[in-house]
Amino acid sequence: MLKRILFITVLSFFAGCGYPPYHYSFSLIDPYVEDLKFEDNDVSFQFIPTAEYIWVSIFNKTEGRIHFDVDKAEYIDPLGESHAVLYGWRYAHAMKDFVYNYRSVDPVRIDPKSTNEGNIWINIWPGPGGDIGEGWTSVKDSDIDYMDHGMLPEYSFQGNGIELKDSTFFLILPIQFDSYTRNYEFIFMITDVEIVERKKDRKIESH
């Protein structure tokens, strides 16, 4: 079963090479800011959303340690479906760390006046069809990276990205302080979607 899933994954990867990708534009509408950067007296967040992941930079403005509680973080997609998340620079490494750590992610420590940066990914454990489970640890990193774990359709065979224009998605990031946890909630809007025609080096805008 695992070999079948990986075979389908590789086929999907090469199929994607023949499709022009979507290019999304985003805005942060709640709290409303123009540059995808939000801050209060304690924490500063900077975001760069993509179809595959959301890059985030978290700066601790306080004099004490804080922790980003990844296990309790949540991504709610444009259809309203809630997803657990992973955190790290590469999807395969984040997934394997999750499995090795008994399907858990340790809170990320951020020291005073320090920044932690990484990518927020959808956690698709136990895998397509629920068939991989603990077998993630034996799968090659490249095969894991090629699996469909995107937050939004990157190519048309993954879904109709054009229809997502003006839709919203949510990101909930729990930050632990000394004596309490605050859930920072962000609502993003997809303000525009374009189809990137690689051969013609042009973009087709949605209307």
Side-chain angles (χ1 to χ4, degrees), residues 101-129:
N101 200 38
Y102 304 101
R103 299 192 298 277
S104 178
V105 181
D106 292 331
V108 176
R109 188 183 77 185
I110 307 175
D111 290 326
K113 311 301 181 183
S114 298
T115 299
N116 191 279
E117 301 176 355
N119 297 328
I120 294 175
W121 314 82
I122 286 182
N123 185 348
I124 63 170
W125 191 93

Side-chain angles (χ1 to χ4, degrees), residues 52-54 75 84-92 94 118-123 145 149 151:
E52 190 176 13
Y53 57 82
I54 300 174
Y75 167 74
V85 304
L86 300 171
Y87 182 70
W89 287 110
R90 184 173 175 184
Y91 188 76
N119 297 328
I120 294 175
W121 314 82
I122 286 182
N123 185 348
D145 287 333
H149 54 263
M151 293 184 158

Side-chain angles (χ1 to χ4, degrees), residues 167-187:
S167 65
T168 59
F169 56 89
F170 294 68
L171 192 61
I172 302 173
L173 304 181
I175 301 295
Q176 299 174 345
F177 298 92
D178 284 341
S179 58
Y180 68 97
T181 297
R182 177 177 177 184
N183 288 328
Y184 286 87
E185 300 185 9
F186 302 96
I187 303 177

